[in-house]
Amino acid sequence: MGENEKTWDFDSWADQYDEAVASDFQLYARYDEVLDFVVEIVNVIPRTRVLDIGTGTGNLALRYLDRGATVVGLDPSRKMLAKAIKKAGDNPGAELRKVVAPFLHIPYPDDYFDAVVSTYAFHHIPHRLKLSSVYEMIRVLKPGGTWGYWEI
Ligand SMILES: C[S@@+](CC[C@H](N)C(=O)[O-])C[C@H]1O[C@@H](n2cnc3c(N)ncnc32)[C@H](O)[C@@H]1O
């Protein structure tokens, strides 16, 4: 598998995704609590610059936007992102972008973000590329920044 390949067709799942996470009590058990927990451990104050990788329909990104953070949400799925963009409305802190390989090539400078977060997405990159991805996340994270993720 190439580094840019998605492991699941999220474009075709986008319309059902939010219903699925609310009703799947195995894979997405206590989904809302999980996202709240990530926000609790990676706390923000207004204008904190957060990167959410594999932002999907924006459920984690929205939590940070609601707290006044500036949120860059990256995702390879145009349709998942369209849901997130709709939810964010005209929030000036939202920057939600399609990126082909958002764990591996984060199109931002070194030391740019105060926090890097991700939920239910890291497993979509091949195992052999995970270390490179961690380096890439650290590259864009300011020294002393915070980092939190949830994986299944
Ligand atoms: C299960 S959803 C999680 C969405 C959101 N983070 C959440 O917690 O609801 C996984 C997301 O990862 C994205 N994705 C798929 N392959 C990816 C990759 N290689 N790098 C980053 N994100 C990817 C999908 O498009 C999808 O939006």
Side-chain angles (χ1 to χ4, degrees):
M1 183 161 64
E3 67 173 28
N4 296 342
E5 285 178 50
K6 291 178 283 177
T7 52
W8 191 264
D9 182 6
F10 278 94
D11 276 346
S12 64
W13 201 25
D15 284 337
Q16 288 84 41
Y17 181 78
D18 283 341
E19 281 170 40
V21 296
S23 57
D24 180 340
F25 301 119
Q26 290 191 332
L27 207 54
Y28 291 98
R30 300 166 70 184
Y31 175 82
D32 280 314
E33 285 175 59
V34 166
L35 269 52
D36 289 340
F37 177 66
V38 171
V39 174
E40 197 182 312
I41 58 173
V42 183
N43 211 346
V44 293
I45 55 171
R47 285 180 293 284
T48 296
R49 199 182 274 164
V50 177
L51 170 64
D52 178 21
I53 307 182
T55 195
T57 60
N59 294 328
L60 183 63
L62 259 287
R63 282 164 163 80
Y64 283 106
L65 288 170
D66 286 347
R67 285 161 177 77
T70 296
V71 181
V72 170
L74 306 179
D75 201 284
S77 164
R78 186 180 56 80
K79 289 194 177 172
M80 292 288 276
L81 272 175
K83 302 278 176 192
I85 288 166
K86 193 170 174 190
K87 287 179 193 170
D90 57 5
N91 190 316
E95 190 176 318
L96 305 167
R97 293 178 56 182
K98 179 173 156 68
V99 170
V100 175
F103 277 109
L104 296 161
H105 304 290
I106 301 169
Y108 290 86
D110 296 355
D111 306 338
Y112 190 77
F113 293 98
D114 301 295
V116 176
V117 295
S118 184
T119 48
Y120 303 95
F122 195 55
H123 60 281
H124 289 299
I125 58 169
H127 189 64
R128 68 188 159 77
L129 295 175
K130 285 182 177 160
L131 189 56
S132 307
S133 165
V134 170
Y135 280 120
E136 179 66 348
M137 289 190 272
I138 289 170
R139 181 187 67 76
V140 296
L141 185 63
K142 288 177 186 171
T146 49
W147 186 18
Y149 83 107
W150 183 271
E151 203 36 77
I152 45 178

